[in-house]
């Protein structure tokens, strides 16, 4: 969402998901305003947000407060995942802390910023839809170097909130889920490799890395955010990765916004300029 409050008012422009009475799951990196909280409580659908609620835009506090209020009022219908901008050492540099100070004053603003970040630390890092679609802010975790594949177990376990209390392996998986990117075209598309643009601990993942992760976990599609896209979305890795970006006009770039609708294995891209753009069906 990247602090773009206008994006929160566009859920209806993505698609009128309420007309679907089946057990569909609308999924978006930004979901917008709903017509009423009571309507959301009674809906059969769920909203999954993919992180990066703050920074770079002009409404960090408003967006963070809005999505957290949605979750507080409708916890069974709203799921908020954590992105890299929900890390205090990131959002202290890219606008969120300054937004809090501007709205609440230098002392109270820092206290509000601390409380928001304490709440962000409670957010989950990943989610699954129907056992077929894996959702995370950025990427998939790399396997550990020795001792067998532990990823399925780690993704289902609870970790210490304090980074200092986590194991090195937990921190590695944490970093991959909120920082990793799919490797670009023209790059050797296998396994994992270092991603210096994101920092010394971040990585790229190729198609063979995805195939291995899917074989281990049973998922068939990765839905992630983390990178702006001109059309609001991009399919990569033979259609095994879909990047969704729901902040239109990101950094005044003029990009479109998009979301996803997931219903019984069918994944549909939704957006003001992409509504009805094909679809992807997971195999049962």
């Amino acid at each position: 969402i990247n602090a773009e409050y206008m994006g929160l008012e566009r859920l209806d422009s993505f698609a009128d998901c309420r007309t679907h009475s089946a057990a569909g799951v609308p999924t978006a990196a930004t979901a917008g305003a709903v017509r009423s909280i009571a309507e959301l409580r009674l809906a059969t659908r769920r909203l999954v947000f993919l992180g990066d609620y703050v920074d770079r835009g002009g409404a960090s506090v408003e967006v963070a407060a809005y999505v957290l209020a949605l979750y507080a009022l409708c916890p069974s219908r709203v799921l908020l995942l954590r992105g890299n901008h929900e890390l205090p050492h990131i959002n202290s540099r890219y606008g969120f802390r300054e937004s809090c100070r501007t709205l609440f004053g230098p002392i109270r603003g820092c206290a509000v910023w601390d409380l928001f970040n304490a709440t962000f630390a409670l957010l989950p890092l990943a989610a699954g839809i129907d056992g077929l679609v894996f959702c995370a802010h950025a990427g998939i975790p790399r396997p550990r170097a020795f001792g067998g594949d532990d990823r399925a177990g780690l993704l289902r376990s609870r970790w210490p909130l304090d980074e200092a209390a986590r194991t090195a392996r937990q921190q590695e998986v944490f970093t991959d889920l909120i920082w990793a990117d799919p490797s670009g075209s023209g790059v050797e598309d296998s396994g994992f490799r270092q991603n210096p643009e994101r920092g010394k601990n971040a990585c790229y993942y190729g198609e063979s890395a995805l195939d291995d992760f899917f074989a281990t976990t049973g998922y068939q599609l990765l839905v992630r955010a983390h990178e702006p896209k001109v059309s609001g979305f991009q399919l990569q890795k033979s259609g095994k990765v879909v990047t969704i970006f729901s902040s239109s006009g990101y950094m005044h770039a003029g990009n479109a916004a998009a979301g996803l609708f997931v219903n019984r294995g069918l994944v549909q891209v939704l957006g003001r300029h992409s509504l009805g753009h094909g679809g992807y069906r997971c195999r049962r």
Side-chain angles (χ1 to χ4, degrees):
I1 302 174
N2 291 108
E4 189 211 2
Y5 194 77
M6 289 291 291
L8 287 170
E9 298 176 340
R10 281 199 303 264
L11 181 61
D12 292 333
S13 69
F14 282 128
D16 189 358
C17 296
R18 287 172 300 278
T19 63
H20 296 265
S21 58
V25 185
T27 305
T30 180
V34 294
R35 291 175 184 167
S36 74
I37 294 299
E39 191 172 62
L40 181 58
R41 285 190 180 123
L42 295 173
T44 57
R45 281 89 33 210
R46 293 174 181 163
L47 293 170
V48 180
F49 295 76
L50 299 177
D52 277 11
Y53 312 110
V54 301
D55 288 341
R56 299 195 188 275
S60 284
V61 174
E62 294 86 345
V63 168
Y66 186 95
V67 296
L68 288 169
L70 274 184
Y71 173 73
L73 291 167
C74 305
S76 65
R77 292 290 174 257
V78 176
L79 179 63
L80 307 177
L81 300 186
R82 191 178 187 182
N84 60 299
H85 282 270
E86 281 70 63
L87 298 174
H89 74 278
I90 297 297
N91 61 47
S92 64
R93 296 163 50 194
Y94 291 98
F96 183 42
R97 182 167 63 181
E98 189 58 34
S99 294
C100 292
R101 288 167 58 91
T102 298
L103 283 172
F104 300 105
I107 297 176
R108 183 174 294 177
C110 285
V112 169
W113 177 76
D114 283 335
L115 288 171
F116 267 117
N117 277 297
T119 304
F120 293 156
L122 300 172
L123 299 180
L125 302 174
I129 300 175
D130 297 334
L132 300 172
V133 179
F134 182 74
C135 302
H137 177 69
I140 57 173
R142 72 195 87 176
R144 62 181 173 182
F146 304 101
D149 200 319
D150 62 345
R151 289 177 290 184
L154 277 173
L155 289 171
R156 293 186 178 94
S157 62
R158 292 184 178 274
W159 300 354
L161 297 179
D162 183 1
E163 179 179 332
R166 297 182 199 135
T167 66
R169 175 59 179 151
Q170 287 172 334
Q171 190 58 33
E172 182 179 60
V173 171
F174 177 91
T175 300
D176 291 344
L177 291 171
I178 66 173
W179 282 105
D181 292 312
S183 54
S185 59
V187 179
E188 183 182 356
D189 204 12
S190 61
F192 294 84
R193 64 182 181 85
Q194 189 174 3
N195 180 353
E197 294 183 9
R198 297 286 193 185
K200 64 179 182 179
N201 296 319
C203 69
Y204 289 111
Y205 48 92
E207 189 166 350
S208 67
L210 283 160
D211 290 339
D212 179 61
F213 177 71
F214 291 163
T216 298
T217 60
Y219 293 111
Q220 298 179 21
L221 179 69
L222 168 64
V223 173
R224 43 97 64 178
H226 200 41
E227 296 178 284
K229 301 298 177 183
V230 173
S231 60
F233 75 99
Q234 183 180 13
L235 294 173
Q236 295 171 270
K237 308 304 175 192
S238 304
K240 298 169 186 175
V241 178
V242 57
T243 297
I244 292 295
F245 201 79
S246 302
S247 175
S248 64
Y250 174 73
M251 301 288 288
H252 308 290
N255 61 285
L260 289 183
F261 181 73
V262 181
N263 183 21
R264 297 178 180 177
L266 178 65
V267 181
Q268 178 82 44
V269 177
L270 306 173
R272 297 181 70 180
H273 304 295
S274 59
L275 186 60
H277 181 283
Y280 175 93
R281 182 170 291 280
C282 298
R283 298 182 305 276
R284 289 282 183 175

